[in-house]
Amino acid sequence: MEVPVIDISSLVNRSFKSEEVAVRIGHACQEHGFFYIVGHGVDELLQQRLVDLSKKFFSLSLETKMKIKMLHGGIAWRGYFPCGEELTSGSPDMKEGIYFGEELDEENEFVKKNTPLHGKNLFPDNLPEFRSVVLNYMNSILQVGHAVLNGIALSLGLDENYFFHRYTKEPLQLFRIFNYPVKKMDTNLNLWGVGEHTDYGLLTILKQDNLGGLQVKAKSGWIDVPPIENSFVCNIGDMLDRMTGGLYKSTLHRVKCQTLADRLSFPFFFDPNFFVHVKKIDGIEQQNDDKNQRWDLESVHEFQGTYGQYLLKKVSKAFPQLKENVLV
C-alpha cells in the first residue's frame, strides 16, 4: 500500500474541480490518515532558502545554538532544544530542533493574557535572513492549510468554510524545524528519531528533505513515506478525529534514526484556535472509541475542555523541564 498523491491546485485556485479533489482527500483520510499534496503553489526558491539557512543553523556550535534555547522563550514555548531533550512516550527523541509560532508582539490580546504558546519567536543573531524566510514560509503554508481544510470540509458534505468559521479564523500555528543527526546504531537501546505517536491538532503539513525516514502505521503494518519532489505530506490530527467521530482517524507515525546523513524535516501544525471547544460534527455517526489501541491510551472523544488545555497536557509531557519552569 502506498500513500496517495493528490494535486490540490484546484483548491488553491478555487476552481470548479474542487469537489473531485475533495473526494480523493476524503478517501485518503478514511483509508490512510496521510496523503501527499502537490500543486500547492509554495515558492520553491523560498523552500530551498529555508533548507539552506536551517543547515547553517544546525551546523553552529551547541553553545551558539543554546543562546536561543527554549527556556528563553518563556511561556511562548519557542526556541532551540538539543538532541534527546524532547520526549515521546517518555523516551528521548534523537533529534534537535527549533520551535516557532505565529509572530505576536506585546500588544497582542493573547500575549497580554499570558496565553501559553503565544508570543515572539527566537532567532539567531548571526543569521539575519532566517527570520524573514521562516515567517514567509509559515504564511505560505498557512494558506495551503486553509485550502486543504476546505477540501476536507467538502469531503464531509459541509460548506467549504466550515472549519474556518468555527476553528481556524485565528488558528494556532506551530512550526518546527528538526535535524535528525546521524546515529551509529551500535546500541541495544530502542532509539527512534521520533517514537510512534499521533499529532494533536487538525492538520500537519510536512516538508521532507530527500533522505526519508518517516513511517506510517497502515492497516497492513508500518510503511515508508518516501520524499517526492516539491510535495508536502499531510496527516490529520486528533482534533479532526474527534470532530468526525473517528471516521477520519489520526494515524500513528514515527521517524527512523538516520544512519547515512543528517535529515531535516519541517512540520507545520495547523491547529484550532487555542480557546475553542472542539465538537463532533452534527450528522456524523460516532465510531467505536479506539483509546485502548492508541499509543497514549487516551480517548480523543472523552476529553472535556478547550483545545489549548488538550494541547498543553500533551506537550508538557514532551518537555517536562519546561513544564516545571514555565507552565507553573
Side-chain angles (χ1 to χ4, degrees):
M1 186 191 75
E2 296 182 348
V3 174
V5 181
I6 301 176
D7 186 333
I8 64 164
S9 55
S10 62
L11 291 171
V12 172
N13 300 323
R14 293 180 173 271
S15 82
F16 67 93
K17 292 185 178 180
S18 295
E19 294 281 355
E20 298 175 17
V21 177
V23 170
R24 294 200 63 202
I25 289 176
H27 183 265
C29 288
Q30 287 193 61
E31 293 299 315
H32 311 281
F34 271 75
F35 51 96
Y36 295 94
I37 56 171
V38 296
H40 46 70
V42 178
D43 188 278
E44 289 187 69
L45 292 177
L46 175 63
Q47 294 182 57
Q48 188 57 53
R49 194 68 190 126
L50 179 68
V51 170
D52 293 342
L53 288 168
S54 299
K55 288 180 178 178
K56 287 183 178 180
F57 175 79
F58 289 118
S59 69
L60 298 172
S61 68
L62 180 60
E63 179 183 9
T64 301
K65 289 182 285 191
M66 290 297 283
K67 290 180 180 179
I68 60 165
K69 64 182 178 181
M70 289 183 71
L71 194 58
H72 294 329
I75 200 168
W77 214 302
R78 313 283 172 84
Y80 171 78
F81 68 89
C83 192
E85 195 167 292
E86 184 172 10
L87 308 179
T88 300
S89 298
S91 298
D93 295 334
M94 294 297 101
K95 70 176 188 291
E96 60 179 335
I98 324 175
Y99 272 38
F100 299 103
E102 183 180 5
E103 183 77 352
L104 302 172
D105 62 28
E106 292 81 0
E107 297 304 311
N108 179 271
E109 61 174 314
F110 297 149
V111 177
K112 286 182 177 180
K113 295 176 182 177
N114 289 321
T115 307
L117 308 180
H118 292 71
K120 279 186 168 293
N121 291 296
L122 302 179
F123 293 99
D125 293 334
N126 56 343
L127 293 174
E129 191 185 354
F130 207 14
R131 182 181 189 278
S132 63
V133 169
V134 166
L135 296 181
N136 285 338
Y137 179 82
M138 288 179 62
N139 184 63
S140 295
I141 298 298
L142 177 65
Q143 305 314 312
V144 173
H146 282 301
V148 174
L149 271 186
N150 287 351
I152 291 174
L154 291 172
S155 78
L156 293 165
L158 305 169
D159 179 84
E160 67 173 358
N161 294 313
Y162 178 91
F163 296 108
F164 180 81
H165 290 314
R166 290 162 178 80
Y167 300 109
T168 61
K169 188 175 183 178
E170 294 181 290
L172 182 64
Q173 305 170 46
L174 304 172
F175 178 50
R176 317 296 190 222
I177 302 177
F178 293 140
N179 179 53
Y180 298 84
V182 171
K183 286 288 177 184
K184 294 181 179 179
M185 302 308 288
D186 55 355
T187 174
N188 292 323
L189 295 175
N190 186 23
L191 298 177
W192 288 89
V194 179
E196 59 185 67
H197 65 286
T198 59
D199 294 340
Y200 311 136
L202 276 174
L203 183 70
T204 303
I205 305 171
L206 170 72
K207 175 178 173 58
Q208 301 191 82
D209 68 6
N210 60 0
L211 291 177
L214 175 64
Q215 294 185 325
V216 173
K217 184 70 174 293
K219 294 176 181 177
S220 59
W222 288 99
I223 62 171
D224 291 325
V225 186
I228 295 177
E229 186 176 356
N230 198 27
S231 72
F232 298 116
V233 178
C234 287
N235 64 279
I236 60 179
D238 292 347
M239 292 301 101
L240 196 57
D241 191 328
R242 177 182 174 92
M243 290 179 192
T244 62
L247 178 65
Y248 292 178
K249 289 221 178 276
S250 53
T251 303
L252 272 177
H253 51 287
R254 65 189 183 188
V255 178
K256 295 184 292 186
C257 278
Q258 297 301 302
T259 58
L260 299 177
D262 290 4
R263 172 185 184 260
L264 290 174
S265 78
F266 306 83
F268 182 92
F269 301 97
F270 187 53
D271 289 0
N273 180 277
F274 191 84
F275 295 100
V276 299
H277 291 258
V278 177
K279 301 176 181 179
K280 188 175 78 67
I281 298 168
D282 291 340
I284 294 181
E285 183 179 350
Q286 180 70 51
Q287 310 293 308
N288 292 331
D289 196 338
D290 63 347
K291 72 175 182 179
N292 292 328
Q293 287 77 49
R294 278 181 56 89
W295 65 288
D296 54 5
L297 299 178
E298 295 183 6
S299 172
V300 301
H301 308 289
E302 294 175 353
F303 174 79
Q304 301 294 315
T306 64
Y307 175 62
Q309 290 169 327
Y310 180 86
L311 180 62
L312 289 178
K313 179 182 177 184
K314 296 291 187 181
V315 299
S316 62
K317 293 179 181 178
F319 289 98
Q321 289 182 327
L322 274 176
K323 177 186 176 183
E324 295 174 6
N325 294 322
V326 176
L327 299 178
V328 292

